[in-house]
Amino acid sequence: MTILPVSKTSKFYLLYLICITAFAWTTNAHAKSTTPPTSSFEQLVSQLTLEEKVSLLAGESAWTTMPIKRLGIPSLLFSDGPTGVRSVDGDPATVFPVGVAVAATWNPLLIERMAHTLGQEARSRGIQVLLAPMANVHRSPLGGRNFESYSEDPYLGGKIGAAYVRGLQSAGVGATVKHFVANNQEHNRLFIDAIVSDRALREIYLATFEHIIKEAKPWAVMSAYNQVNGSFMSSHQTLLRKVLKGEWAYDGLVMSDWGATHGALAAEAGLDLEMPGPAKHFGQQLLDAVKAGKVSQSAIDDAAVRVLRLIDRATQPQPPAKADVDQSSLAKTVASEAIALLKNEDDLLPLDIKKTKRIAIVGPNADAVIIQGGGSSHVVPALKQTPLEAIRGLLQDEPVEIIYAQGTDNELIPPGADYRLFSPTRDRNQLGLKVDFYSNSDLSGSPVKSGVDRHFEKVGFGTSLFQQTDGQFAVRWSGYFFPPKDGDYQIHLIQSGSVELKIDSKTLVSPDMPSHKLKLADIIPATTQAASISLKKGQAVPVSLTYHAAKFPFQFLRFGVRTPSGTPEEAIAAAKTADFVLVFAGVSTTSEQEGQDRSSMAIHGGQNELIEAISAANSNTVVVLNNGGPVAMPWINGVPAVVSAWLPGQHGAAAVADMLFGRSNPSGKLPMTFPYLLEDNPSHATFPGDKVTRYDEGIFVGYRHYDTKSVAPLFPFGHGLSYSTFQYSKLNGPQTASAADPMVHITLEVKNTSQRAGSETVQVYISDLKSTLPRPTQELKSFAKLALQPGETKRIGFELDKRSFAFWDDAEQQWRVEPGLFAIRIGSSSRDIRLAHELELK
């Protein structure tokens, strides 16, 4: 375990747990009544009728729990995370970097701070439980939700996840660790059966959750959609009741993923709360099952206690939450620390502005907002900025010419409409479209709410209005569209309700026109419609888009517009005249999505060909990638500098600009391996499967496979360069320790040997040099991030406990440490080991 100072939020959290000895309801947005404190949750449960107990075990609505007014038990309000606080009404919020970027910081203390401020923002909006963090291990580079989760390594994921939970709950908002467990793909995710050995479950897939639960004590856990070894996770008695609640002594609540409950007997297996509400499998079915003796009274009482405990924890008095919490600086800091400098030949970066007269900025992501993935984690950003805008702002006072060329288009479908191309009026004194909400379906009378909208990818909105009008509401967007080029504009709409779109007085989409049915994220019915229109540059044309609410509470609308793209020739011409070229490439706004796995590691839309041509035209080419995981780089040998910016949140563009021009020093490290080929990945032969997916690679996930099998990666786990250089020395540790209960303390020194302040992540790997069972060549067991001034030296210590040396013994069904020789390996990455120390466990 890394020796680090205890943060203020950690101290507060521990004090908070110790001090809660009484049960007290507090006033919240959903119930004004209160009840006197009671000595225990069990005592309160004894006051409930069976019908009331069962009613607690299913949601009241899509986002709220069931209150019991008779006893003043309030309802709780949930919201999606983890990138930000997603409003059920579609209001803007701070968009932080996605999960994989958060892990790339390798900085738990920073992530604890981030999550605390995220919790403050949630509380200012009346939200008491956030459906985050996502702790699933990256099994394959193609996993559709890898961008939301942390790592291929359970130790790193556990440390970052625990920090997130501590920070969020220190602000009085409950964390929901998801998706428990082996939820590692989107293909057939609602029913896929993950066939995985006990050892792989324990050492890889359960390990992240175990670490978070034991270290940070999250208030809720969400069970996954999928099956594990033949049982749906929401009904998995072994993993829910025996392991999670029994062996790990977890006292929090277990809720289903939305629509993932399979029958009333799930309550007996350990599921406490069916979501969303109202009840489908619990409710009357569960009541009947209890009366028939199929579900025990003790299971109902235990679940009711856990629901009440969550309500108690989430309604404790807290300092007033500021509605205008300024998270900008912290969001930018996280984005900055996440940036991984993958390659930097001849110290091309940072760019020397004093030696630069002209910079070419090219690529499909240069003037696009690529900051998050799609699906339930999607948040309406409070700020939108593209890299081109950020760099122009940073260099506005410098005598440097900036030329821009898009070069190619990488969107799989037309991207969300760019608000900069719209205005409520012809004079274009505002950007976006005028929006009016009506409390009726025919848009009559005066709107109940109006404003200017700049975001046209709406993952949920209008929930409050839906409740007020019994689902009879409508929305109209209106204004003018200013085409940036002559040509054909492709229109693409996805909606859960019904829409009508008019551009230049032409009806392009209406409910009676052809449409295609689909299910968003496999669960929400929707339709998609497409059209095109030819427009002239600069000629403002009127736009009108109306939306009529779907019959169910969840509203979804995506208004996509693909503008005529630039050509590779334009980008190559710009590159030839520039001192440096910055190519912004990678994934798009439509390629990282919940509900679908990636089809390959390739980046789309002719980007590889563009990068090869640009680097041939200008040897000073820097490629900046937006990515939610590994991408193929067939051009890597011809490009001197490569940066992974991830999906960096709303301040990511500014963070990247600072890094490129030396205003900040990169310190991000890869939380996963980048393979040369997809076929090199150990899960390739069995991913994703069809009805069954077999985890035949066992414990050899990620770098455990590459290192053990001597497969060279493109970039190894833990890799990330800096503008500074660091020297490791003076590693000290014991020669022997007890195998029965090892507690090993090691120390070393790290020195910044450069003239620039920087941060280095020291990584500790353990190797069992002779084992009776197959083990990876090395496994990450600790790490620490150090900030060092030029010439500064720091001494750092690590403590390695029993789990650092143990493996799971399937035969004995327990963790076991074998006596023998171990190597403690200290490195800057899994393939850059600087020091080693041998230790014998006796």
Side-chain angles (χ1 to χ4, degrees):
M1 186 170 95
T2 306
I3 300 177
L4 293 173
V6 179
S7 71
K8 292 181 180 178
T9 52
S10 296
K11 291 177 180 176
F12 174 83
Y13 182 75
L14 291 171
L15 182 62
Y16 170 72
L17 286 177
I18 293 168
C19 290
I20 292 179
T21 58
F23 186 77
W25 302 118
T26 57
T27 303
N28 65 59
H30 305 288
K32 299 299 182 183
S33 58
T34 60
T35 190
T38 61
S39 60
S40 70
F41 301 108
E42 289 80 5
Q43 182 179 340
L44 184 58
V45 166
S46 70
Q47 300 176 37
L48 302 177
T49 66
L50 176 60
E51 287 76 11
E52 286 173 330
K53 294 174 189 176
V54 169
S55 74
L56 283 174
L57 310 188
E60 179 187 33
S61 70
W63 302 108
T64 57
T65 61
M66 184 69 73
I68 298 180
K69 295 180 180 179
R70 181 177 71 85
L71 292 174
I73 297 173
S75 171
L76 292 180
L77 178 62
F78 297 168
S79 176
D80 269 320
T83 306
V85 183
R86 191 166 67 74
S87 164
V88 296
D89 288 318
D91 299 324
T94 308
V95 180
F96 284 94
V98 299
V100 68
V102 163
T105 68
W106 291 62
N107 190 340
L109 291 178
L110 174 63
I111 303 315
E112 188 171 333
R113 288 174 51 212
M114 179 199 82
H116 180 80
T117 60
L118 201 156
Q120 289 181 304
E121 184 169 2
R123 284 185 51 241
S124 73
R125 296 165 183 262
I127 293 162
Q128 295 147 311
V129 178
L130 206 62
L131 305 179
M134 184 170 166
N136 297 110
V137 168
H138 297 184
R139 180 185 175 222
S140 165
L142 304 184
R145 296 183 78 174
N146 283 356
F147 72 90
E148 286 187 68
S149 194
Y150 296 131
S151 177
E152 70 186 23
D153 182 77
Y155 183 83
L156 174 60
K159 280 294 183 184
I160 297 295
Y164 187 105
V165 170
R166 282 195 305 270
L168 189 67
Q169 293 183 170
S170 71
V173 174
T176 308
V177 184
K178 61 183 187 181
H179 306 86
F180 188 78
V181 63
N183 181 242
N184 305 111
Q185 64 185 70
E186 294 300 280
H187 177 71
N188 289 342
R189 66 174 180 160
L190 299 186
F191 59 83
I192 193 76
D193 190 1
I195 306 300
V196 53
S197 70
D198 284 351
R199 186 180 178 199
L201 269 175
R202 291 289 188 157
E203 293 192 21
I204 305 296
Y205 300 102
L206 285 172
T208 303
F209 289 92
E210 181 184 7
H211 191 107
I212 295 170
I213 285 161
K214 290 183 175 179
E215 182 176 309
K217 297 178 172 57
W219 298 349
V221 167
M222 180 186 290
S223 64
Y225 284 115
N226 54 280
Q227 302 178 69
V228 173
N229 297 330
S231 295
F232 281 104
M233 272 310 307
S234 61
S235 305
H236 207 301
Q237 186 139 359
T238 299
L239 293 179
L240 293 184
R241 195 167 292 284
K242 180 181 176 182
V243 175
L244 176 62
K245 293 182 174 182
E247 182 184 326
W248 297 352
Y250 176 62
D251 72 350
L253 174 136
V254 177
M255 71 175 75
S256 73
D257 203 340
W258 265 227
T261 305
H262 293 271
L265 298 187
E268 187 69 31
L271 185 69
D272 303 315
L273 179 65
E274 176 190 4
M275 289 300 291
K280 181 178 179 182
H281 296 279
F282 282 11
Q284 186 61 49
Q285 286 190 40
L286 180 54
L287 187 62
D288 293 342
V290 176
K291 292 178 178 179
K294 296 179 181 178
V295 174
S296 65
Q297 183 70 55
S298 62
I300 298 299
D301 288 349
D302 177 64
V305 164
R306 291 169 186 271
V307 172
L308 295 175
R309 186 179 289 127
L310 175 63
I311 295 172
D312 175 54
R313 287 168 166 169
T315 54
Q316 288 293 317
Q318 297 288 332
K322 298 180 181 179
D324 59 345
V325 176
D326 181 12
Q327 300 180 331
S328 297
S329 176
L330 191 54
K332 184 179 177 182
T333 299
V334 176
S336 179
E337 287 208 24
I339 295 170
L341 179 57
L342 302 181
K343 185 178 180 181
N344 193 24
E345 286 184 354
D346 300 323
D347 294 329
L348 180 61
L349 292 175
L351 299 180
D352 188 346
I353 199 64
K354 295 179 181 180
K355 299 179 180 178
T356 306
K357 295 181 179 179
R358 179 179 293 141
I359 300 173
I361 299 178
V362 305
N365 291 1
D367 198 28
V369 181
I370 316 291
I371 61 173
Q372 61 183 321
S376 59
S377 68
H378 186 90
V379 176
V380 177
L383 171 75
K384 289 185 175 183
Q385 187 182 44
T386 72
L388 179 62
E389 292 171 334
I391 292 171
R392 281 175 170 166
L394 185 69
L395 303 182
Q396 60 183 344
D397 296 326
E398 300 289 346
V400 177
E401 180 185 0
I402 295 175
I403 5 179
Y404 164 67
Q406 181 184 6
T408 188
D409 182 343
N410 65 349
E411 296 285 0
L412 304 182
I413 60 175
D418 187 342
Y419 76 96
R420 298 173 299 177
L421 305 180
F422 298 90
S423 177
T425 59
R426 280 188 178 274
D427 58 19
R428 213 173 182 179
N429 58 359
Q430 280 186 292
L431 300 180
L433 288 173
K434 185 176 186 293
V435 61
D436 297 303
F437 289 81
Y438 293 84
S439 59
N440 53 67
S441 59
D442 58 3
L443 295 95
S444 61
S446 300
V448 295
K449 185 172 73 170
S450 297
V452 176
D453 199 349
R454 295 186 173 190
H455 194 75
F456 305 108
E457 298 171 84
K458 302 191 173 299
V459 183
F461 67 101
T463 297
S464 299
L465 195 54
F466 185 94
Q467 295 169 346
Q468 295 165 13
T469 64
D470 291 327
Q472 300 297 309
F473 80 90
V475 189
R476 176 188 286 133
W477 291 265
S478 59
Y480 293 86
F481 180 44
F482 295 82
K485 294 182 178 182
D486 293 349
D488 291 333
Y489 288 74
Q490 296 178 13
I491 308 299
H492 189 265
L493 282 152
I494 306 175
Q495 61 275 343
S496 57
S498 61
V499 299
E500 181 178 68
L501 173 67
K502 293 183 179 180
I503 297 180
D504 199 16
S505 302
K506 299 174 183 176
T507 301
L508 300 182
V509 174
S510 69
D512 56 354
M513 289 181 173
S515 64
H516 174 70
K517 292 183 179 181
L518 72 159
K519 281 198 172 182
L520 302 168
D522 291 329
I523 56 176
I524 301 166
T527 57
T528 177
Q529 293 174 282
S532 65
I533 185 171
S534 182
L535 298 170
K536 294 288 186 181
K537 177 181 177 180
Q539 294 184 3
V541 294
V543 176
S544 174
L545 173 64
T546 59
Y547 176 89
H548 295 270
K551 295 180 180 179
F552 45 88
F554 188 84
Q555 310 299 318
F556 182 94
L557 175 65
R558 186 179 182 282
F559 172 32
V561 178
R562 191 194 301 273
T563 61
S565 66
T567 66
E569 290 73 23
E570 293 170 342
I572 294 167
K576 289 179 177 179
T577 65
D579 298 309
F580 298 97
V581 185
L582 301 176
V583 183
F584 288 86
V587 303
S588 68
T589 62
T590 57
S591 58
E592 299 289 298
Q593 297 277 345
E594 178 182 353
Q596 65 182 38
D597 293 315
R598 297 166 65 191
S599 59
S600 73
M601 291 200 309
I603 53 177
H604 301 285
Q607 293 182 91
N608 288 327
E609 293 80 2
L610 177 66
I611 293 170
E612 288 175 351
I614 293 294
S615 60
N618 191 316
S619 59
N620 292 327
T621 294
V622 179
V623 175
V624 181
L625 292 168
N626 290 122
N627 53 309
V631 296
M633 304 181 200
W635 34 262
I636 188 66
N637 292 331
V639 173
V642 180
V643 176
S644 177
W646 312 107
L647 300 168
Q650 66 184 46
H651 292 281
V656 169
D658 283 350
M659 174 264 175
L660 291 173
F661 292 94
R663 306 288 180 91
S664 67
N665 192 345
S667 63
K669 299 279 189 176
L670 294 183
M672 81 291 287
T673 305
F674 277 36
Y676 274 104
L677 302 171
L678 179 61
E679 291 78 8
D680 292 340
N681 182 266
S683 71
H684 176 69
T686 58
F687 183 92
D690 187 20
K691 295 180 180 180
V692 169
T693 181
R694 298 186 179 277
Y695 288 45
D696 290 344
E697 68 279 7
I699 62 171
F700 294 96
V701 176
Y703 72 90
R704 287 167 168 79
H705 161 78
Y706 297 100
D707 292 350
T708 305
K709 301 298 183 181
S710 299
V711 177
L714 177 61
F715 295 109
F717 174 81
H719 171 72
L721 304 175
S722 170
Y723 296 152
S724 304
T725 54
F726 304 95
Q727 182 183 77
Y728 293 43
S729 64
K730 300 181 180 178
L731 174 60
N732 287 321
Q735 300 299 312
T736 63
S738 167
D741 188 21
M743 183 59 71
V744 177
H745 181 70
I746 62 168
T747 61
L748 69 144
E749 289 185 359
V750 181
K751 181 180 181 180
N752 183 345
T753 55
S754 71
Q755 299 302 308
R756 182 189 288 266
S759 295
E760 170 70 336
T761 298
V762 181
Q763 301 163 41
V764 181
Y765 296 86
I766 300 294
S767 298
D768 188 344
L769 299 182
K770 187 177 181 181
S771 173
T772 57
L773 291 179
R775 297 195 70 177
T777 294
Q778 59 183 9
E779 297 177 276
L780 181 74
K781 294 301 178 182
S782 198
F783 63 89
K785 191 166 190 174
L786 305 177
L788 295 165
Q789 294 299 314
E792 183 182 8
T793 298
K794 284 185 179 179
R795 190 157 193 84
I796 181 70
F798 299 92
E799 283 191 356
L800 303 169
D801 60 12
K802 181 176 181 179
R803 281 291 290 271
S804 300
F805 300 94
F807 61 85
W808 180 261
D809 190 320
D810 278 348
E812 297 183 12
Q813 284 292 292
Q814 65 179 5
W815 293 98
R816 186 155 67 91
V817 177
E818 284 188 327
L821 202 60
F822 290 77
I824 301 172
R825 297 154 60 85
I826 312 295
S828 184
S829 82
S830 60
R831 292 292 179 104
D832 183 7
I833 301 299
R834 307 285 182 88
L835 301 171
H837 174 77
E838 286 196 354
L839 168 76
E840 185 179 6
L841 296 184
K842 294 185 175 181

